[in-house]
Amino acid sequence: MSSFFTTTKIVVCATVLRVVLLIYGLLQDAYSPIKYTDIDYFVFTDAARYVSQGQSPYERETYRYTPLLAWVLLPTSWQGAFWFSFGKVLFAFSDVVAGWLMVLVLQSAGQGAMTNERALKLATTWLLNPMVANISTRGSSEGLLGVIVVALLWAVTRRQIIVAGVLLGLSVHLKIYPFIYGPSIVWYLESSRPPAPVEKHSPSLPPTTDKQASFNSILNFFNRSRIILCISSLATFAALNALMYAIYSDSFLQHTFFYHLTRIDHRHNFSPYNTLLHLSSAIPDKVSSLKLESLAFIPQLLISAVLIPLALAKKDLAGTMLAQTFAFVAFNKVCTSQVRLLSPLPNMKHPFLCYK
């Protein structure tokens, strides 16, 4: 059985699984009244078609994403059934690449330097997971974001800081929530140099005051890796946003970012705020300075972007990112019944998931 766990065999099996589901999806779409393709995929492809015609992707109602996604899916607007499925193939391919990167992360020293066989066994929970394959082959773009986030983790563990910064900025541009990983990565990137030894006080030297010690601690926090990460991620995020704003103006900001701050989706919603959001939507003209749909972010971000990184990031970055994602989803104001990828890191080494 152990001979099965080679990189080539696992990747081939993962690819075959997705090809089979893609073909099955074409047949179900053609002959069944219940379609295999996700409704969101039609939103993506309609937006791409508008872009191909020189129009804004926001001409398509309910398109609430960056125009970059519509640009990437431009081939879906070309003639032919194959090109219409281009996005599904891209998302499925992203799944496989994400699984391969997981193997590399698990083999890195920062995650315990697992053997190739053990890393592959854990990675199969993603690569050979029918739920993961089903989601991407139905046309959900989560696979594309997933591979970027796993690549971000790989870059950080390999100390490729500029690459990590670019990936972080890109992921936040694609969807807002990956910004919660920023604090964990910053906290994780502590200087590799050991702290300077505390010297005994010499009569010829003035004693170090508490104020000086605090100032030195602040200076030590801003090490080279953290500064490069912040600059590269902010530059990437700002450049992409500036480009999209220059082309699509206020529509880009409204549909990509601002809409999600005031969104009320009380249907098929398993959020802890479901009942309150339902009542709020029933009285849309109610005047109140406190909007639940905006206040719901406070506990969500406090837990996922502050408390969890401070408690766990220096111990296990992958496990921290997993915990952040689950906390973010659990406290999200919109938690639909449609199965989504709760985390791009379901099989990273973590004490609650696997044991040596």
Side-chain angles (χ1 to χ4, degrees):
M1 183 65 180
S2 61
S3 61
F4 172 74
F5 291 99
T6 64
T7 303
T8 301
K9 291 180 180 178
I10 296 298
V11 170
V12 168
C13 289
T15 303
V16 170
L17 171 62
R18 285 157 178 80
V19 170
V20 169
L21 288 176
L22 285 169
I23 296 173
Y24 170 79
L26 293 175
L27 295 175
Q28 181 171 327
D29 285 345
Y31 298 105
S32 173
I34 301 176
K35 303 304 179 184
Y36 182 83
T37 301
D38 192 331
I39 186 64
D40 286 344
Y41 188 72
F42 292 105
V43 176
F44 301 154
T45 55
D46 287 347
R49 187 173 69 254
Y50 279 115
V51 171
S52 69
Q53 297 169 355
Q55 302 181 59
S56 168
Y58 300 113
E59 294 294 329
R60 176 45 160 104
E61 293 183 3
T62 72
Y63 184 78
R64 313 292 187 187
Y65 312 90
T66 170
L68 186 60
L69 180 59
W71 291 8
V72 170
L73 297 180
L74 269 176
T76 62
S77 64
W78 301 346
Q79 294 296 323
F82 169 79
W83 289 114
F84 179 77
S85 299
F86 169 80
K88 297 179 183 179
V89 175
L90 175 63
F91 301 151
F93 175 74
S94 299
D95 272 351
V96 177
V97 175
W100 174 67
L101 287 172
M102 288 177 187
V103 175
L104 298 183
V105 171
L106 290 169
Q107 291 177 328
S108 66
Q111 296 302 317
M114 292 184 183
T115 63
N116 183 65
E117 182 177 334
R118 180 171 174 77
L120 281 169
K121 287 180 179 179
L122 290 174
T124 54
T125 62
W126 174 278
L127 287 168
L128 302 183
N129 190 326
M131 183 187 76
V132 174
N134 171 262
I135 291 172
S136 60
T137 55
R138 291 186 65 223
S140 172
S141 63
E142 298 302 321
L144 187 61
L145 184 63
V147 71
I148 294 175
V149 173
V150 180
L152 166 64
L153 177 60
W154 170 85
V156 174
T157 57
R158 295 300 175 93
R159 293 284 171 163
Q160 301 291 327
I161 306 302
I162 295 179
V163 176
V166 171
L167 291 172
L168 179 59
L170 174 61
S171 64
V172 177
H173 175 77
L174 285 174
K175 281 202 172 180
I176 305 172
Y177 84 83
F179 86 91
I180 65 176
Y181 305 132
S184 291
I185 297 172
V186 168
W187 198 236
Y188 174 82
L189 291 175
E190 197 165 27
S191 176
S192 58
R193 295 179 302 173
V198 179
E199 298 183 357
K200 294 183 178 181
H201 173 61
S202 172
S204 61
L205 297 175
T208 302
T209 64
D210 291 340
K211 186 178 293 186
Q212 288 175 323
S214 299
F215 181 72
N216 290 336
S217 297
I218 294 174
L219 289 180
N220 291 333
F221 178 83
F222 294 98
N223 60 34
R224 183 174 182 272
S225 295
R226 286 168 172 164
I227 293 173
I228 292 176
L229 177 79
C230 292
I231 292 175
S232 56
S233 60
L234 289 174
T236 302
F237 180 69
L240 289 172
N241 287 343
L243 175 62
M244 297 305 166
Y245 183 78
I247 299 174
Y248 299 107
S249 189
D250 292 340
S251 296
F252 160 67
L253 295 178
Q254 176 59 37
H255 293 287
T256 305
F257 298 115
F258 299 153
Y259 165 79
H260 299 282
L261 297 177
T262 57
R263 177 183 179 184
I264 300 179
D265 187 354
H266 62 277
R267 300 187 185 280
H268 50 264
N269 194 326
F270 293 99
S271 165
Y273 305 105
N274 180 37
T275 302
L276 293 175
L277 288 173
H278 195 105
L279 294 175
S280 179
S281 66
I283 315 175
D285 298 328
K286 180 181 178 181
V287 178
S288 174
S289 58
L290 297 177
K291 298 291 186 180
L292 175 65
E293 56 270 23
S294 298
L295 294 177
F297 289 109
I298 296 176
Q300 181 186 38
L301 297 183
L302 178 64
I303 296 172
S304 62
V306 179
L307 298 181
I308 291 177
L310 288 176
L312 301 176
K314 290 186 179 181
K315 302 175 183 177
D316 181 359
L317 180 59
T320 302
M321 294 172 71
L322 172 64
Q324 286 180 279
T325 308
F326 271 93
F328 188 89
V329 172
F331 288 91
N332 198 20
K333 66 179 180 178
V334 177
C335 186
T336 64
S337 58
Q338 181 181 10
V339 178
R340 291 293 184 186
L341 300 185
L342 293 181
S343 171
L345 312 165
N347 51 5
M348 295 288 100
K349 180 189 172 188
H350 191 266
F352 296 106
L353 298 179
C354 64
Y355 299 86
K356 283 193 175 181

